[in-house]
Amino acid sequence: LPAVFTGDAAAAGSYGYTNSGYSVYEEENDRLTESLRTKVSAIKSLSIEIGTEVKNQNKMLSEMENDFDSTGGLLGATMGRLRTLSRGSQTKLLCYMMLFSLFVFFVIYWIIKLR
């Protein structure tokens, strides 16, 4: 009976039982922990790659936006010049066409008159 109450015998008996019962769970937990660690590192590297790609795409979109803005400004300026040109020179163009028509008419009249 005194051997049961001593720390050596009680500890040895419960330690052997506890060690064999918990070692299976510890090995399973270690295996699952390692699997989880592998998955987390894969997700981490994937998220870093996604972040890098997003930064590159945002940079490209920003450059495209700047190019489109400059092209839109250039096109708007060109259209404004065309509008100004068409408004101001319609009367001049009409006068030039009438003078040219009169000139052609007098040349044809003069050619017919000489025959």
Coordinates of all heavy atoms in Angstrom, one line a residue, residues 76-89:
G76 N -10.1 67.3 -78.3 CA -11.0 68.5 -78.0 C -10.4 69.8 -78.6 O -11.2 70.6 -79.1
A77 N -9.1 70.0 -78.5 CA -8.5 71.2 -79.0 C -8.7 71.2 -80.5 O -9.0 72.2 -81.2 CB -7.1 71.3 -78.6
T78 N -8.4 70.1 -81.2 CA -8.6 70.0 -82.6 C -10.0 70.2 -83.1 O -10.2 70.9 -84.1 CB -8.1 68.6 -83.1 OG1 -6.8 68.4 -82.7 CG2 -8.2 68.5 -84.6
M79 N -11.0 69.6 -82.4 CA -12.4 69.9 -82.7 C -12.7 71.3 -82.5 O -13.5 71.9 -83.3 CB -13.3 69.0 -81.9 CG -13.2 67.5 -82.2 SD -13.5 67.1 -83.9 CE -15.3 67.5 -83.9
G80 N -12.2 72.0 -81.5 CA -12.5 73.4 -81.3 C -11.9 74.2 -82.4 O -12.6 75.2 -82.9
R81 N -10.7 73.9 -82.9 CA -10.1 74.6 -84.0 C -10.9 74.4 -85.3 O -11.1 75.3 -86.1 CB -8.7 74.1 -84.2 CG -7.7 74.6 -83.2 CD -6.3 74.2 -83.5 NE -5.5 74.4 -82.3 CZ -4.6 73.5 -81.9 NH1 -4.4 72.4 -82.6 NH2 -3.9 73.8 -80.8
L82 N -11.4 73.2 -85.5 CA -12.2 72.9 -86.7 C -13.5 73.7 -86.6 O -14.0 74.2 -87.6 CB -12.5 71.4 -86.8 CG -11.4 70.6 -87.4 CD1 -11.8 69.1 -87.3 CD2 -11.1 70.9 -88.8
R83 N -14.1 73.7 -85.4 CA -15.4 74.5 -85.3 C -15.1 76.0 -85.6 O -15.9 76.6 -86.3 CB -15.9 74.4 -83.9 CG -17.2 73.5 -83.8 CD -17.7 73.5 -82.4 NE -17.6 72.1 -82.0 CZ -16.9 71.7 -81.0 NH1 -16.2 72.5 -80.2 NH2 -16.8 70.4 -80.7
T84 N -14.1 76.5 -85.0 CA -13.7 77.9 -85.3 C -13.4 78.1 -86.8 O -13.9 79.1 -87.4 CB -12.5 78.3 -84.5 OG1 -12.7 78.1 -83.1 CG2 -12.2 79.8 -84.6
L85 N -12.7 77.2 -87.4 CA -12.4 77.4 -88.8 C -13.7 77.3 -89.6 O -13.8 78.1 -90.6 CB -11.4 76.2 -89.2 CG -10.9 76.2 -90.6 CD1 -10.1 77.5 -90.9 CD2 -10.1 75.0 -90.9
S86 N -14.6 76.4 -89.3 CA -15.8 76.2 -90.1 C -16.7 77.4 -89.9 O -17.4 77.8 -90.9 CB -16.5 74.9 -89.8 OG -17.0 74.9 -88.5
R87 N -16.8 78.0 -88.7 CA -17.7 79.1 -88.5 C -17.2 80.4 -89.2 O -18.0 81.1 -89.8 CB -17.8 79.4 -87.0 CG -18.7 78.4 -86.3 CD -18.8 78.8 -84.8 NE -19.3 77.7 -84.0 CZ -19.1 77.5 -82.8 NH1 -18.3 78.3 -82.1 NH2 -19.6 76.5 -82.1
G88 N -16.0 80.6 -89.0 CA -15.4 81.9 -89.5 C -15.2 81.9 -91.0 O -15.3 83.0 -91.6
S89 N -14.9 80.8 -91.6 CA -14.6 80.9 -93.0 C -15.7 80.4 -93.9 O -15.5 80.3 -95.1 CB -13.3 80.0 -93.2 OG -13.6 78.7 -92.9

